[in-house]
Amino acid sequence: MSDPMIGLVLLGILITLLASGVWVAISLSIVGLVGLVFFSNAPAGLILATTFWGHSHSWALTALPLFILMGEILLRSRMSDDMFTGLVPWLSRAPGRLLHVNVFGCAIFAAVSGSSAATAATIGRMSVPELTKRGYPESLILGTLAGSATLGLLIPPSIILIVYGVATEQSIARLFIAAIIPGIMLMSLFAGYVAVWAWKNPELIPSIDQTFSFREKIIASRRLIPVALLIGGVIGSIYGGLASPTDAAALGVVLATILAWGSGAFSWKLFGEAVMSATRTSCMIAFILLGAAFLSVAMGFTGLPRNLATWISDMNLSVTALLIALTIFFIILGCFLDGISVIVLTTSIIMPMITAVGIDPIWFGIYLVIVVEMSQITPPVGFNLFVIQGLTGIDILSIAKAAFPFFLLLLLGVLLICLFPQIVTFLPNWMAS
């Protein structure tokens, strides 16, 4: 059987399994077994056992459950409320006023949670009732929340960047540093869109009677100090070369626990809930990674990735043409799978292509995460849409419509890093030098 036919058969099996509701990790493992048994001479059982065992004790992967636990602790503490209170005085006179709380609040919480869904749930739980009560347009409330929560995938410490780094054997520290400027860029695009919209529709933005003196703003900002300390401790230790991402993750858990207890709204019961939730999420992601690792090894034995890379190389496809094709491919794939599944399903096939055309894997990781961010706000499987629907009870299509301008802004972000790759590569190169 020819390579294209083998690829189509395996893809058909995978789609059938996923459409039948089989877990992603099991689907990946089954496809890998089919590839080994029917399209190679390798011992399938031995490879399955050694791959699962070999990839289950990755030291780099240890950062994943720790960062998830840190986010779960913060989700159950009073620090998120303090963050909202500290931002309001500074944003009350900005164009768009308190709508910027969603944008900047999501950006700040993304820097301490690493999860898009956790960011949407935490900030949405605070901002949606408050902004609705003050009379802000529903479409802007939902759109800014859905769009800005995607920053949880990009701004370090990002769980999905850890997954990409482990799956592709890239430096997680360099990926974290590379994500800083693109994260700020996207946050600025979101805030700029809100400001322009408010400038064109001033009658739809409610006025604020309360004014804040500079002294009151400074006093309110004291509530942001714990979050700032946590961000500085985690990211600063990595950037300063004092700790690896795994060490920084452990530091983040310790700091988050201390700050949560210090806020006075944390208990042993909440701590137990955070540990159990982090355990469930970590096991799910680790299981998916093991299935993806096995599929990657199985594909290597079938020769498909190598032959595909050779085929791409022989086509002499330009980098621009390849990136356009991959962007469309990932957007379509993201309509049906969550971001982590998209990355672990595709990296074993895509990375040989990327290497063949000379694209920097670190740059490609940031590009891939931004494209995957789009999948968080696209139906039918947009995790942020589901989270916000659960918070508000509004139908998912209305939320998707409100989030569409932010989908376009993410697409603009992809275009900008393609035109100016230094946006991604500047900090990692400077760090290396």
Side-chain angles (χ1 to χ4, degrees):
M1 188 180 292
S2 64
D3 286 336
M5 284 303 297
I6 294 174
L8 289 174
V9 168
L10 295 177
L11 180 61
I13 294 172
L14 179 61
I15 292 173
T16 301
L17 290 170
L18 293 174
S20 301
V22 179
W23 288 359
V24 172
I26 295 176
S27 299
L28 295 173
S29 301
I30 291 174
V31 173
L33 280 173
V34 171
L36 286 176
V37 171
F38 294 99
F39 304 112
S40 79
N41 298 318
L46 180 61
I47 292 173
L48 174 65
T50 55
T51 302
F52 270 38
W53 176 257
H55 285 78
S56 63
H57 61 274
S58 167
W59 176 245
L61 194 58
T62 310
L64 183 66
L66 291 172
F67 277 129
I68 293 173
L69 177 58
M70 184 180 74
E72 292 289 344
I73 291 171
L74 294 176
L75 186 63
R76 290 163 174 79
S77 72
R78 204 175 65 189
M79 288 174 62
S80 52
D81 296 313
D82 290 344
M83 183 177 63
F84 187 90
T85 305
L87 285 173
V88 167
W90 293 99
L91 301 174
S92 59
R93 294 298 173 185
R97 297 189 175 91
L98 297 186
L99 287 172
H100 290 289
V101 169
N102 272 348
V103 178
F104 293 106
C106 285
I108 292 172
F109 194 80
V112 290
S113 74
S115 166
S116 177
T119 300
T122 305
I123 302 301
R125 189 170 58 188
M126 295 181 295
S127 67
V128 171
E130 187 68 24
L131 295 176
T132 302
K133 182 178 69 177
R134 293 172 184 253
Y136 285 87
E138 181 183 85
S139 62
L140 261 293
I141 297 174
L142 300 176
T144 52
L145 178 61
S148 302
T150 61
L151 294 171
L153 293 182
L154 181 62
I155 295 179
S158 163
I159 292 170
I160 206 165
L161 280 177
I162 297 174
V163 172
Y164 174 83
V166 171
T168 60
E169 299 181 352
Q170 297 299 315
S171 165
I172 295 173
R174 293 195 71 203
L175 286 167
F176 278 5
I177 299 304
I180 292 176
I181 296 179
I184 294 172
M185 176 191 71
L186 289 176
M187 182 182 67
S188 302
L189 289 174
F190 295 159
Y193 171 78
V194 171
V196 170
W197 192 95
W199 176 68
K200 293 179 65 177
N201 304 277
E203 71 282 358
L204 298 179
I205 301 296
S207 59
I208 296 180
D209 297 328
Q210 184 181 6
T211 58
F212 297 91
S213 66
F214 183 75
R215 182 173 179 273
E216 289 173 328
K217 292 179 180 179
I218 295 297
I219 292 174
S221 298
R222 289 161 55 189
R223 293 175 175 262
L224 298 174
I225 292 175
V227 178
L229 288 174
L230 187 56
I231 296 172
V234 173
I235 304 301
S237 62
I238 297 174
Y239 189 76
L242 302 176
S244 68
T246 303
D247 300 331
L251 175 64
V253 171
V254 173
L255 290 177
T257 305
I258 293 172
L259 293 172
W261 281 107
S263 69
F266 202 59
S267 63
W268 282 111
K269 180 182 178 182
L270 291 176
F271 182 75
E273 291 177 1
V275 171
M276 289 305 300
S277 179
T279 301
R280 285 191 294 269
T281 304
S282 301
C283 289
M284 177 196 69
I285 296 174
F287 195 18
I288 291 175
L289 282 172
L290 290 178
F294 175 61
L295 177 61
S296 178
V297 172
M299 290 301 99
F301 278 100
T302 63
L304 279 177
R306 181 177 61 255
N307 296 335
L308 182 60
T310 303
W311 178 60
I312 293 291
S313 180
D314 292 342
M315 287 176 63
N316 292 320
L317 200 63
S318 69
V319 174
T320 302
L322 177 61
L323 289 176
I324 291 173
L326 288 177
T327 301
I328 296 172
F329 169 71
F330 284 124
I331 290 174
I332 295 173
L333 198 61
C335 290
F336 304 97
L337 295 171
D338 66 280
I340 290 175
S341 298
V342 169
I343 285 182
V344 297
L345 278 170
T346 58
T347 47
S348 60
I349 303 297
I350 298 299
M351 290 313 293
M353 298 187 203
I354 299 307
T355 305
V357 298
I359 295 176
D360 182 355
I362 296 293
W363 179 92
F364 184 74
I366 304 303
Y367 154 85
L368 183 56
V369 169
I370 295 177
V371 175
V372 166
E373 283 181 346
M374 301 179 192
S375 70
Q376 302 295 298
I377 52 176
T378 53
V381 184
F383 274 28
N384 286 7
L385 303 183
F386 290 142
V387 170
I388 296 171
Q389 183 186 37
L391 287 172
T392 62
I394 298 170
D395 68 278
I396 201 165
L397 290 179
S398 298
I399 301 172
K401 182 180 178 182
F404 183 68
F406 295 86
F407 174 88
L408 296 179
L409 290 173
L410 288 169
L411 198 57
L412 175 60
V414 171
L415 178 62
L416 288 174
I417 67 167
C418 289
L419 294 176
F420 307 103
Q422 297 84 357
I423 294 174
V424 175
T425 59
F426 171 73
L427 282 182
N429 292 341
W430 185 50
M431 177 185 174
S433 64

